[in-house]
């Protein structure tokens, strides 16, 4: 009988392309273009050209119908051996981290020895479709047998049927955008404009310092002439952010601006994972161990919970399973979909009443803010939805390796649909 004891899964490295704003330098790049570029950068860095990897898992939130096999097609267009299998998955903004969790779990179970996880998203090359009425009538015309019947079906199309449907970021069940949902949550938790702008300035300053220190040099490869995240503002300040008008929420007390909210972005990221044995065979050094992961969801439609608050529930479950407290970490990577998302989550964990009512436990307490997003996060880098998990996982693994064996990092990513994906990494 085979040995079914789980083994460790190592994070061996990562690569991404710089993230660009919607309709910026990547306006005409496809998801496949970007993911293949991120993949080939990883392959070149870790000498994987022509080699077989057991599987590549990843996905995109915004996809054309032609991208039904996006990740496999990207693999076939890359320098990996064509025997490398691949598949798509999608869990909104949690896609990249969920892919890493899935690949690491397969490595732990001995089902595979190596894998690449990642994600890609374009907010520019959006899959525009025709109106639902026009689509239905065109399909009817296509099914019709004979020229006469086809002409009759086409003649049924009316000028009012004509129209183009753009993908939106509104939640289908509420009609509210993610920003509008977050504005409600921010108001509920009393998150001030000043606190959001402070966190935003810190994110830009931290990422600018990381660039200056060369932190990103072995985490990123250039694409289409771009070598730096477009959203980064090294000169960001409270004074500049204070001049921006609110774009989400209503009334004089609205606090969320284009500055303290992450813009729509284009980009791709990848993470290389493997067993200890496979890493040794390749001459690769483990940076961190992928210890555990957890997903959760909240009822933001009928319940009173905010759309982006699922990580507040997922983290306690994962900590309890691993016998850890919220304070047992050297680094915290909390995805900055909005500055208010981070601050609302932290405030919930500190709130005795909320923790007792929602989690059935004592408050998790506070974290050391100096350990939060220390090399910047989404507010500065941008947020191509499915690519964020790969960016964070690779960067955190590098930080933990520098910190030393046994160091710990916590990842928290909120996602559309009231979902969240979180994970624990440990320095190797």
């Amino acid at each position: 009988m085979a040995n079914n004891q789980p083994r460790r899964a190592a994070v061996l490295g990562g690569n991404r392309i710089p993230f660009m704003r919607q309709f910026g330098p990547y306006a005409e790049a496809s998801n496949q273009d970007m993911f293949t570029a991120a993949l080939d950068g990883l392959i070149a860095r870790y000498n994987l050209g022509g080699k077989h990897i057991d599987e590549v898992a990843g996905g995109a939130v915004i996809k054309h119908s032609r991208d039904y096999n996006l990740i496999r097609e990207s693999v076939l267009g890359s320098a990996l051996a064509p025997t490398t299998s691949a598949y798509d998955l999608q869990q909104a903004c949690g896609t990249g981290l969920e892919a890493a969790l899935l690949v690491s779990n397969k490595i732990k179970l001995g089902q595979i020895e190596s894998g690449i996880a990642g994600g890609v998203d374009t907010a520019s090359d959006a899959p525009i479709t025709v109106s639902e009425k026009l689509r239905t009538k065109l399909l009817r015309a296509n099914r019709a047998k004979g020229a006469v019947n086809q002409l009759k079906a086409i003649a049924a199309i009316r000028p009012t049927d004509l129209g183009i449907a753009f993908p939106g970021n509104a939640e289908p069940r509420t009609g509210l955008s993610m920003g509008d949902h977050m504005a409600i949550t921010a108001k509920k938790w009393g998150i001030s404009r000043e606190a959001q702008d402070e966190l935003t300035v810190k994110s830009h300053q931290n990422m600018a310092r990381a660039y200056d220190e060369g932190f990103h040099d072995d985490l990123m490869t250039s694409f289409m002439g771009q070598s730096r995240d477009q959203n980064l503002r090294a000169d960001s300040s409270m004074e500049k952010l204070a001049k921006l008008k609110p774009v989400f929420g209503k009334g004089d007390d609205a606090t969320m601006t284009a500055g303290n909210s992450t813009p729509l972005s284009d980009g791709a990221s990848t993470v290389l994972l493997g067993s200890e044995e496979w890493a040794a065979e390749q001459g690769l050094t483990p940076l961190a161990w992928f210890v555990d992961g957890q997903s959760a969801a909240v009822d933001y439609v009928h319940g009173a919970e905010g759309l982006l608050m699922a990580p507040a529930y997922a983290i306690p479950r994962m900590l309890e399973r691993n016998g850890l407290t919220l304070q047992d970490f050297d680094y915290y990577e909390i995805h900055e979909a909005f500055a208010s998302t981070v601050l609302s989550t932290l405030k919930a964990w500190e709130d005795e009443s909320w923790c007792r009512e929602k989690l059935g436990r004592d408050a998790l307490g506070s974290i050391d803010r100096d350990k939060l997003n220390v090399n910047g996060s989404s507010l500065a880098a941008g947020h191509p939805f499915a690519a964020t998990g790969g960016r964070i996982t690779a960067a955190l693994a590098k930080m933990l390796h520098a910190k030393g064996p046994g160091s710990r990092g916590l990842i928290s990513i909120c996602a559309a649909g009231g979902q969240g994906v979180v994970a624990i990494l440990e320095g190797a």
Side-chain angles (χ1 to χ4, degrees), residues 185-200 238 253-257 260 339-340 343-344 347:
T185 305
K187 194 169 186 177
K188 172 185 174 182
W189 283 102
I191 307 300
S192 71
R193 165 79 178 265
E194 183 180 28
Q196 293 175 54
D197 286 353
E198 283 178 351
L199 190 140
T200 302
M238 293 292 286
D253 56 352
T255 59
M256 293 173 56
T257 71
N260 57 41
S340 54
L343 295 168
S344 296
K347 205 163 183 177

Side-chain angles (χ1 to χ4, degrees), residues 329-397:
F329 293 87
D330 298 280
Y331 299 111
Y332 302 86
E333 289 288 335
I334 303 180
H335 163 46
E336 297 164 344
F338 305 91
S340 54
T341 311
V342 179
L343 295 168
S344 296
T345 301
L346 293 176
K347 205 163 183 177
W349 288 334
E350 295 168 356
D351 191 280
E352 288 285 355
S353 298
W354 187 87
C355 288
R356 193 180 309 113
E357 179 185 344
K358 304 290 186 179
L359 306 177
R361 53 161 295 164
D362 294 337
L364 277 74
S366 304
I367 68 167
D368 182 348
R369 292 288 188 92
D370 289 336
K371 299 178 179 178
L372 173 65
N373 298 341
V374 299
N375 287 315
S377 189
S378 303
L379 285 165
H383 171 43
F385 306 126
T388 290
R391 173 186 69 77
I392 292 176
T393 302
L396 179 59

